[in-house]
Amino acid sequence: GAPVAFGRPAPLPQTGWERLRELWRRDERQQYPEETLNIAKSAFTAGVVGWLYGGLPAFVSARKAFIERSHGELFQNRADAVQSAHRAGLRSFIRYGWRWSWRVTAFATIFNVVSTGLSVYRDKTTISNFAAAGAFTGALFRMHLGLQGLVGGTVFGTVFGIPAGGLLMVMYGLAGETFQEKRNRERRELYEQKLAEWQSRLSVTEVLDQAESDTQGRPEIERAREL
């Protein structure tokens, strides 16, 4: 018969490592999973928030310090004085905003990667995942301070991770399902759809093979009758 030009759909990932590998792999539409996109979005948001958190107070403080420091200085006009004060504030905004931005971005990204990885590996989302992610991230950020810093970072990260995880769990409860449950449901529905299409195509192929065999067998039967 004619060879089948398509294969059975790949089974759903069964182990934690298989689910982790799929987390960083593009699908048939060349898109990453929603969890991965959320990690990137949260990193960008954390960077903006960190920049504003560090930059705005520095801008106000530097502008105020420049005004206090510039008493008695001569400027061409009022606009020149205002622009000079703004430039001083802007330099501080960029300098201190960047310092906070990359730190907050790194902390949020590591926290989300670890918590998402634990949820995917364990195939369930619990507060313990967020507590462990917070403890790991806090310890990583404070380990350069020695054992005391390591312990302090672990405690701080755990204290941060538990309420953050609790808030996310409440949001998941309002949504009706977690990202992991949604991902599993969509993956299962897609697999069942592909499996049904494969079985349908396989049935059609078998019918065509049978029809081709019957067509090839008829001339032989007619020649045998003539003999």
Side-chain angles (χ1 to χ4, degrees):
V4 179
F6 53 91
R8 185 186 181 93
L12 298 177
Q14 301 298 324
T15 66
W17 291 113
E18 290 178 352
R19 289 190 292 270
L20 281 178
R21 285 195 297 268
E22 192 178 56
L23 186 64
W24 310 106
R25 189 180 302 163
R26 294 184 179 182
D27 57 16
E28 296 176 349
R29 295 173 294 180
Q30 298 300 311
Q31 294 181 353
Y32 286 103
E34 187 175 0
E35 299 94 331
T36 307
L37 297 178
N38 287 333
I39 292 175
K41 293 177 182 178
S42 64
F44 175 79
T45 303
V48 174
V49 172
W51 202 302
L52 295 176
Y53 178 81
L56 289 179
F59 176 86
V60 175
S61 177
R63 187 173 181 275
K64 181 179 179 181
F66 178 84
I67 294 174
E68 293 176 351
R69 200 171 52 242
S70 62
H71 286 304
E73 294 186 12
L74 296 178
F75 296 96
Q76 295 180 359
N77 49 48
R78 180 178 177 83
D80 181 39
V82 173
Q83 290 177 1
S84 298
H86 280 305
R87 283 195 295 268
L90 184 59
R91 286 193 296 268
S92 293
F93 176 81
I94 295 175
R95 179 182 178 182
Y96 292 98
W98 165 249
R99 287 184 180 182
W100 276 96
S101 179
W102 77 262
R103 287 179 172 85
V104 175
T105 300
F107 188 94
T109 301
I110 296 174
F111 175 82
N112 285 325
V113 168
V114 175
S115 61
T116 301
L118 287 174
S119 298
V120 171
Y121 183 83
R122 300 176 63 189
D123 201 22
K124 61 180 180 179
T125 302
T126 61
I127 294 182
S128 61
N129 295 343
F130 299 99
F136 174 82
T137 307
L140 187 65
F141 265 70
R142 305 290 290 182
M143 64 184 302
H144 67 282
L145 299 178
L147 181 60
Q148 185 176 359
L150 185 66
V151 174
T154 302
V155 173
F156 169 79
T158 304
V159 172
F160 168 81
I162 291 176
L167 178 61
L168 289 175
M169 294 297 294
V170 170
M171 295 175 61
Y172 294 151
L174 295 176
E177 59 182 354
T178 65
F179 282 124
Q180 187 63 27
E181 293 170 346
K182 180 181 178 182
R183 177 68 174 166
N184 289 338
R185 175 177 56 79
E186 293 177 347
R187 186 191 295 119
R188 183 175 60 255
E189 292 174 354
L190 181 61
Y191 173 76
E192 293 175 352
Q193 178 183 352
K194 289 182 178 180
L195 184 62
E197 293 176 354
W198 176 78
Q199 292 174 343
S200 176
R201 293 180 181 179
L202 187 63
S203 300
V204 172
T205 303
E206 291 176 351
V207 171
L208 293 177
D209 289 344
Q210 183 64 36
E212 183 179 356
S213 300
D214 294 343
T215 303
Q216 293 176 353
R218 288 174 183 173
E220 297 179 356
I221 295 176
E222 292 178 357
R223 284 196 298 270
R225 289 176 178 177
E226 293 176 356
L227 295 176

